[in-house]
Amino acid sequence: MKNIGIVTGASSGLGKGIAIEIAKGFDIDELWLIARRKERLVELGKEIYENYGVNVVLMSLDLIDEKSLQKISERLESQKPNIKILVNSSGFGVMGDSSEMNRKVQEDMILLNCKALFSLTNICTNYMSRGSGILQIASVAGFCPQPYFAVYSATKAFVLSYSMALSKELKKRGISVSALCPGPVNTEFFDICERDAKMENMIKKMFIKSPNFVVKRAIKGYLKKKTVIVPGITMKLLSIIEGLYIKQLSSILAYKIYKKFN
Ligand SMILES: NC(=O)C1=CN([C@@H]2O[C@H](COP(=O)(O)OP(=O)(O)OC[C@H]3O[C@@H](n4cnc5c(N)ncnc54)[C@H](OP(=O)(O)O)[C@@H]3O)[C@@H](O)[C@H]2O)C=CC1
Ligand SMILES: CC(=O)[C@H](N)C(=O)O
C-alpha cells in the first residue's frame, strides 16, 4: 500500500513550506499538493521531485466547491492509499466591519476555513492508520474573538475546538491531531486580508514571524504529537492569557467523563 501525504494550501505560505519539510523528512511515496493556482503547484511539484525524489500529485482545486471534495474522495477511493499526514492549510481572512462587509466573502471564509477543513479531515481519516497524523492550521485568533476580524477569528475557534476534541477521539486509533496556532506570519495572507479594508495593523506587524520560523515549529510540534502548537514566546504567553490551559483541561475532563459514562 502506498504511503502518501496531503497538503492543502500548498501554493504559498505555510502550506508550501510544510509540504517541502514533509518531502524532505517524511517516509512517504507520494505527496498530494492541493490549491487553486496550478502554475504555483507545478513549480513546487518540480522543486520537490527534483530535490527530494518524492512523487507528487497536483490537484488544482477550489475547496469551497463541493465537487472538489468529491474529486479528492474518488481518487482516494480508487487508490486506497495509507495517508501518513494530512495538512489543512488552505484558508483566508478578510478584515473589516462584519455588518458592512460583503456577505459572500464572509460565507466563503466559513466554507473554506471550516467546512472544507472538516470535510477533508473526515474523508481522510478513513484512509489513516496507527502512526498517521493531521496538522490543522488554526491561529491564535482562535483563542480571541477579534472585532473587525470577527468571522475569521470565529472560523479559527472552530478549527481549534474541533481539532482538540478530535485528537481525543482518534487517540484510540493511534492517529494524532495537532492544531497549529501562529500569530501573524509574513505570507500572502495579509495581501488578501487587508485588500478591501485597508486596515494596516501596526501591532500585528510588530510581532510578525517568518513562514520558515513557523513551519519549523509546526513540524517539531507535530512530530511530538502536541495537540496545540503555538510558535514563539509572545504568542505562547498570549494564548495562555486567552485560556489555552483551561481549554485543554476542560477537553481532557470532558473526555474522561464521556469515557466513564459510555
Ligand atoms: N499568515 C498568517 O498570519 C497566519 C495564517 N494562518 C492560517 O494559515 C493558513 C495558511 O495561510 P498562509 O500560508 O499564511 O497564507 P497564504 O495566502 O500564503 O496561503 C493560503 C493558501 O490557501 C489556498 N487557498 C485559498 N483559497 C482557496 C480555495 N478556495 N481552495 C483551495 N485553496 C485555497 C491558497 O492557494 P490558492 O490561492 O492557489 O488557491 C494558498 O495556498 C490559513 O488557514 C491561515 O488562516 C494562521 C495564523 C496566522
Ligand atoms: C492572521 C492570523 O491568523 C493571525 N494569528 C492574526 O491574528 O493576525
Side-chain angles (χ1 to χ4, degrees):
M1 192 193 286
K2 218 186 257 179
N3 285 318
I4 70 161
I6 300 181
V7 181
T8 75
S11 61
S12 69
L14 297 175
K16 180 180 176 186
I18 292 169
I20 292 171
E21 290 303 313
I22 292 173
K24 266 189 206 168
F26 284 54
D27 188 16
I28 51 165
D29 303 304
E30 203 170 84
L31 189 54
W32 294 16
L33 305 173
I34 302 172
R36 291 167 304 180
R37 285 170 293 178
K38 193 175 177 183
E39 64 293 353
R40 293 279 195 105
L41 295 179
V42 171
E43 208 178 292
L44 177 64
K46 204 161 163 269
E47 181 184 337
I48 285 179
Y49 184 71
E50 283 175 2
N51 294 335
Y52 313 110
V54 174
N55 291 319
V56 290
V57 170
L58 310 179
M59 302 182 85
S60 165
L61 297 172
D62 182 345
L63 291 174
I64 288 173
D65 187 350
E66 183 59 34
K67 288 194 201 94
S68 302
L69 292 155
Q70 272 167 25
K71 275 190 192 146
I72 301 169
S73 184
E74 281 161 15
R75 190 165 190 140
L76 285 167
E77 196 40 35
S78 75
Q79 301 193 0
K80 296 197 169 54
N82 176 43
I83 303 175
K84 287 287 280 184
I85 178 165
L86 164 69
V87 181
N88 274 306
S89 190
S90 278
F92 78 98
V94 179
M95 283 181 171
D97 188 325
S98 180
S99 61
E100 290 169 9
M101 277 164 67
N102 179 291
R103 178 152 54 90
K104 167 88 170 64
V105 172
Q106 299 185 77
E107 286 170 349
D108 281 352
M109 240 188 293
I110 298 169
L111 288 175
L112 182 64
N113 299 3
C114 303
K115 196 262 171 194
L117 178 140
F118 160 73
S119 297
L120 195 57
T121 304
N122 195 252
I123 292 165
C124 287
T125 50
N126 295 319
Y127 301 91
M128 290 185 165
S129 61
R130 199 156 280 281
S132 297
I134 301 165
L135 177 60
Q136 313 282 33
I137 316 304
S139 164
V140 284
F143 292 111
C144 170
Q146 285 187 37
Y148 304 104
F149 218 8
V151 174
Y152 176 75
S153 56
T155 67
K156 292 302 173 176
F158 170 88
V159 176
L160 183 61
S161 175
Y162 166 59
S163 306
M164 287 175 81
L166 188 68
S167 78
K168 305 280 178 299
E169 293 179 18
L170 291 179
K171 221 173 191 144
K172 60 180 178 303
R173 288 180 54 196
I175 299 167
S176 66
V177 183
S178 302
L180 175 70
C181 296
V185 191
N186 198 3
T187 65
E188 291 167 29
F189 180 95
F190 284 105
D191 303 339
I192 299 160
C193 187
E194 293 170 347
R195 190 180 45 202
D196 301 326
K198 302 264 180 296
M199 292 175 77
E200 292 288 311
N201 195 322
M202 292 317 288
I203 303 272
K204 285 191 183 179
K205 281 180 183 155
M206 263 165 64
F207 294 108
I208 204 150
K209 293 284 184 199
S210 72
N212 193 37
F213 173 88
V214 175
V215 165
K216 289 272 167 1
R217 271 137 193 96
I219 297 291
K220 200 171 158 200
Y222 170 83
L223 291 174
K224 284 187 177 165
K225 302 187 194 305
K226 288 181 78 171
T227 310
V228 180
I229 306 162
V230 185
I233 188 74
T234 319
M235 291 304 139
K236 271 196 184 73
L237 285 173
L238 191 66
S239 66
I240 293 166
I241 295 165
E242 289 173 346
L244 168 61
Y245 290 151
I246 293 174
K247 262 195 173 52
Q248 284 187 317
L249 192 66
S250 57
S251 181
I252 292 167
L253 281 176
Y255 178 70
K256 285 196 189 313
I257 291 167
Y258 180 85
K259 283 286 168 195
K260 196 169 170 63
F261 296 104
N262 286 282

